[in-house]
Structure formats: structure tokens, C-alpha cells
Amino acid sequence: MQFIRPFCDERQSTWCLHCTTSLSEVRTNKDHVPSKCFLKKPYPENLPTVEICAECNNGFSADENYFACVIHAVLAGSLSPDPQHHPEAAKILRHNQGIARRLNTQSEQVDLFPHELPFTVYPDYKRIERVLVKNAKGHAFYEYGEPMLESPSTVEVFPIHQLSADNRARFESSEDVGDLSAWPEVGSRMMDRVMTGRDMLGEWIVVEDGIYRYAVDQAGGLRVRMVIRDYLGAQIQWFH
Ligand SMILES: [Zn+2]
């Protein structure tokens, strides 16, 4: 990815996006958005980061690791994938056998991956959601300079191939974004991308082709869309 220097008001990065602690009072870390659990090695250069408090940054690690196990198990169709056919998944799940065991047995969780039979996992939806919302807040701040300190109004997560044709088209492109009032602020990274097309495919920012892409727009409030491994889609919105 290309590095883009923002010109948005620096005062907006005064608080941790996740716990709203004043960053001047605590130890801080640069947090990768996207999380590395969304990506494939070798990672692209100049991955976006946002400054958050060290406690939140450390707190996300276990959930991000969990997320990686879930997505790789689902895509490989197994909690102990064949290393020859699925080397990346096999490595991650071998290193996290406790998580793999829990994914096989937890039964109180929502059915996040219906119709993926005969293989089914039972992920803890709250952990999946925490990772997605963290990234949505990070993307919104990095691209638009907008600190979304509140919880989002809606969080939707779905395998993209299970969307109907109409819903898939709506998810992939937005009719509402052409409206001038929804254009990014001058000086924001998003405005730079709109003007130069940097890392863009249509309205999506492609971090790694076929691995991770995201889009941020301000139609009706603020909306972040993400697609992980051309499989898992998420749409997270803050309404006005
Ligand atoms: Zn924090």
C-alpha cells in the first residue's frame, strides 16, 4: 500500500477510539487496521495504523488470534486441515489447539456460518464482532479522520456468497455515495484516494487482492464494509 499523510485535524486523535481514554494520560501503541489476522504473509508495506491505548491494543490480540482460527477453519473445511492443501490454516490451527477444540464444542453460539455443511464451527460471535468493530473504527479514523467513539448502530456479518444477487449488488456498490454532501473532508486520506485512485478498486480499498478489502463512506452516517478472503463480509454502520 502507499503511505498517505493526512491533513485532518490532529486534535481528533486525542482519545483512544475504543475506551475513550485520553491518550496523553496513558501508554499508547500503534494498532494495525486491518488486523494482521485478516491478511496473508508477506504483509503489504505501509499498513495503516492508528494510535490507541496500549491496554486496548493488547486486549485485542487474543480475539484476533481467535478470529484467524475461525476463518481458516471455515475456509479449509476442517479444524485440523491437511498441511499440504491448506498450509496456512494447518499452521494456525496447530498452534491454537485449545481454540480449535472449543470451536468444535461450543453450542450456545449463533450460527454464523449456516449452510456450510457438512463442516460447521460454533464461533463465539462476540469475539468475531469485537475484531470487526475494532477494524471498522480504525478504518473510519484512518480514512476520514472521524473518531467513532460510540458503539456502532448495526453490525452485520455474513458469508458473501450467501447474499441474494440484489443484496450482493447493494453490498458491493452504493448508489447513495455520489451525493456531494457525503464526500470525504478535504485533507483526509479518503479524499486523497478519491482524487488519485490510490489502492482503490471502484470504491473499495484493496489491501491484498483476494485476501482483504474495505470501503468507508458517509451515506446516512458512517458505514464500513469489509470482505475477508472473498468469503466473509461485514457491514458496520453508525447512523446520524
Ligand atoms: Zn483504549
Side-chain angles (χ1 to χ4, degrees):
M1 300 185 81
Q2 297 189 33
F3 180 72
I4 308 173
R5 188 175 301 283
F7 298 98
C8 278
D9 190 345
E10 292 289 333
R11 284 174 304 177
Q12 289 182 324
S13 57
T14 305
W15 305 281
C16 174
L17 292 176
H18 306 292
C19 67
T20 71
T21 298
S22 168
L23 291 179
S24 62
E25 293 166 17
V26 291
R27 215 159 51 79
T28 64
N29 281 341
K30 285 199 187 304
D31 189 45
H32 284 95
V33 279
S35 298
K36 286 181 175 170
C37 66
F38 291 177
L39 304 177
K40 186 175 179 160
K41 288 179 182 170
Y43 302 125
E45 293 181 345
N46 299 317
L47 282 177
T49 59
V50 293
E51 193 173 11
I52 64 172
C53 82
E55 196 176 332
C56 283
N57 181 247
N58 295 332
F60 287 125
S61 302
D63 289 337
E64 288 170 328
N65 198 32
Y66 182 86
F67 190 101
C69 290
V70 172
I71 196 85
H72 282 287
V74 171
L75 291 175
S78 169
L79 287 164
S80 48
D82 174 357
Q84 281 205 312
H85 290 107
H86 301 285
E88 200 185 356
K91 191 173 170 194
I92 287 169
L93 287 155
R94 205 170 49 237
H95 285 145
N96 294 283
Q97 289 181 1
I99 294 176
R101 266 196 299 279
R102 281 206 302 285
L103 286 175
N104 208 10
T105 52
Q106 282 182 351
S107 56
E108 76 275 20
Q109 307 303 337
V110 297
D111 203 356
L112 185 57
F113 305 104
H115 318 304
E116 298 293 328
L117 298 171
F119 175 69
T120 304
V121 295
Y122 301 98
D124 180 343
Y125 181 72
K126 282 282 154 219
R127 302 187 75 176
I128 300 293
E129 184 177 288
R130 273 201 293 272
V131 174
L132 294 169
V133 169
K134 166 204 136 150
N135 277 276
K137 287 184 171 190
H139 292 329
F141 185 68
Y142 186 83
E143 301 299 338
Y144 276 87
E146 285 286 345
M148 308 308 288
L149 301 176
E150 315 242 310
S151 295
S153 315
T154 61
V155 178
E156 298 161 86
V157 190
F158 38 81
I160 53 171
H161 66 268
Q162 287 180 11
L163 293 174
S164 67
D166 279 0
N167 285 342
R168 177 70 188 267
R170 252 195 302 277
F171 175 69
E172 292 288 347
S173 76
S174 54
E175 297 104 36
D176 324 335
V177 179
D179 176 2
L180 253 188
S181 64
W183 273 48
E185 190 182 335
V186 172
S188 67
R189 288 190 176 94
M190 197 64 218
M191 184 51 121
D192 182 280
R193 291 194 198 281
V194 168
M195 302 305 284
T196 63
R198 241 191 273 266
D199 297 321
M200 300 289 283
L201 183 68
E203 55 201 63
W204 290 83
I205 297 158
V206 180
V207 180
E208 281 184 294
D209 195 22
I211 303 291
Y212 185 63
R213 60 190 164 103
Y214 66 93
V216 189
D217 65 68
Q218 288 179 307
L222 195 134
R223 172 172 71 153
V224 181
R225 287 167 290 163
M226 317 174 192
V227 177
I228 298 147
R229 305 248 166 186
D230 275 339
Y231 171 75
L232 190 67
Q235 176 164 275
I236 294 162
Q237 290 179 278
W238 287 262
F239 301 131
H240 280 309

